[in-house]
Amino acid sequence: MKKQISILFILFLIAYGCGKKNKFDVDVSEVDVTIDIKRLDQDIFQVKTDSIHKEIPRLNEKYGEFFKIYNQRVINIGNSNSKAYADNLQAFRSDYGINDAHKKVQEKYPDLGDLEEKLTNGFKHYRYYFPEKQIPAVYSFLGGFNQSIVIADSVIAIGLDKYLGRNCEIYDKLGWEEYRQKNMYREKIPTDCMKSWAKTEWVFNDSTDNVLSNMLYNGKLLYFTRAMYPNTHDSLITGFTGKELEWCKANEKHMWEYLIDKNMLYSTDYMTINKLVNPAPFTSGFPRQSPGQAINWLGWQIIDTYMERKSNANLKELMNESDYQKILSISKYHP
């Protein structure tokens, strides 16, 4: 009899577990999206020195507007139509540091098939929720350790030299702090791309630029990224380590009470906002065990609560909602 009860109990747990559906799990198998990453990082180094002038038109045609952005805003070598461009490109390619970075990028990223698959999955979810939106072309580049992700009109470009792995010796030589290096690894690329894309599709816009509006805007971006990658670990969504996530969960109430007690929620002071929402070794005012940008995680929890209470809301409405006081009021957030 006891054995029968145990079996029934286990079956109940299995049935209960199966019934708890991830609210972001949607069927995107029939969504027609394919991401093919064009590799500018390889193309500009494969051109032979005596053929640079001949290859410039081909590169212009293949990479379009992004080639102009890359030359003028990323590596700053000028317009590809200028007479000096070929020499400038050759100087860039010949630089010892750039060559070293190129070798490491090619060792780390001989193939981008896994990234294409993950980005395809992310943008299938994007088209599912936003069928009217355009799917961008995706490129990879070597930027001399400038930008990680470049967003332009209908373009996402990935600076692979900013994703060579945690504690890469090049990053140490550049003097970059650990908190900056911790997210410079391959698995972060898909979520970084989706969040960066969302930033340009839904630009921060609020009549009152205060701590609340900033933390909830960033919370929306995290919520959006979760919707694009329903089964991705929170560490890849937030950029926090597992230990940092545990700290946030354990201190959610304390963080909220601190903001309330210090009257910081409606502060419009630029420096206060900057210290709270931007990357840092830890969040200003919180213990050193906290991750930088911990209040963005808090903003995510408020957004999640808001969406739970406003059961008829969808992702499109959320991303278009910029009344952050309204979001807080409806959420009735109280950790």
Side-chain angles (χ1 to χ4, degrees), residues 47-232:
V47 175
K48 293 181 180 179
T49 303
D50 58 2
S51 303
I52 290 181
H53 286 92
K54 297 178 182 178
E55 291 297 320
I56 291 171
R58 182 184 65 82
L59 293 171
N60 265 319
E61 183 178 357
K62 184 174 181 179
Y63 292 98
E65 183 64 19
F66 176 66
F67 195 55
K68 178 179 178 181
I69 294 169
Y70 176 71
N71 288 314
Q72 297 185 37
R73 287 170 39 194
V74 179
I75 59 174
N76 300 309
I77 63 170
N79 192 308
S80 60
N81 295 321
S82 71
K83 292 181 179 180
Y85 176 75
D87 291 336
N88 291 341
L89 179 59
Q90 181 55 29
F92 174 76
R93 300 193 314 167
S94 302
D95 180 84
Y96 175 81
I98 296 299
N99 254 285
D100 188 35
H102 171 64
K103 290 175 184 176
K104 284 182 168 53
V105 165
Q106 299 317 308
E107 289 170 3
K108 193 81 174 178
Y109 296 97
D111 179 79
L112 300 182
D114 61 318
L115 294 177
E116 290 175 333
E117 183 179 343
K118 289 175 182 175
L119 286 171
T120 293
N121 183 45
F123 276 104
K124 280 190 172 189
H125 284 81
Y126 181 69
R127 172 149 286 173
Y128 174 90
Y129 288 107
F130 307 99
E132 77 286 359
K133 295 280 191 180
Q134 186 174 9
I135 303 300
V138 182
Y139 305 120
S140 62
F141 67 90
L142 191 152
F145 308 102
N146 291 323
Q147 293 95 324
S148 300
I149 306 292
V150 173
I151 305 292
D153 185 30
S154 305
V155 168
I156 291 180
I158 305 159
L160 294 178
D161 48 337
K162 293 290 290 289
Y163 292 97
L164 291 174
R166 298 184 182 103
N167 302 314
C168 171
E169 65 272 17
I170 293 180
Y171 301 156
D172 290 333
K173 289 177 182 178
L174 290 169
W176 290 350
E177 301 91 335
E178 184 179 346
Y179 79 90
R180 294 183 65 188
Q181 294 189 35
K182 71 176 182 178
N183 286 304
M184 294 179 176
Y185 63 102
R186 189 185 196 106
E187 290 76 14
K188 273 296 274 123
I189 292 175
T191 51
D192 281 1
C193 284
M194 297 308 298
K195 187 161 68 171
S196 296
W197 184 251
K199 280 184 179 181
T200 61
E201 289 293 293
W202 294 278
V203 179
F204 177 73
N205 180 25
D206 187 65
S207 57
T208 305
D209 185 8
N210 57 24
V211 170
L212 175 66
S213 60
N214 277 270
M215 67 186 286
L216 292 190
Y217 172 74
N218 284 294
K220 283 202 308 184
L221 296 177
L222 294 172
Y223 189 94
F224 167 89
T225 308
R226 160 59 68 220
M228 300 302 103
Y229 289 107
N231 300 302
T232 294

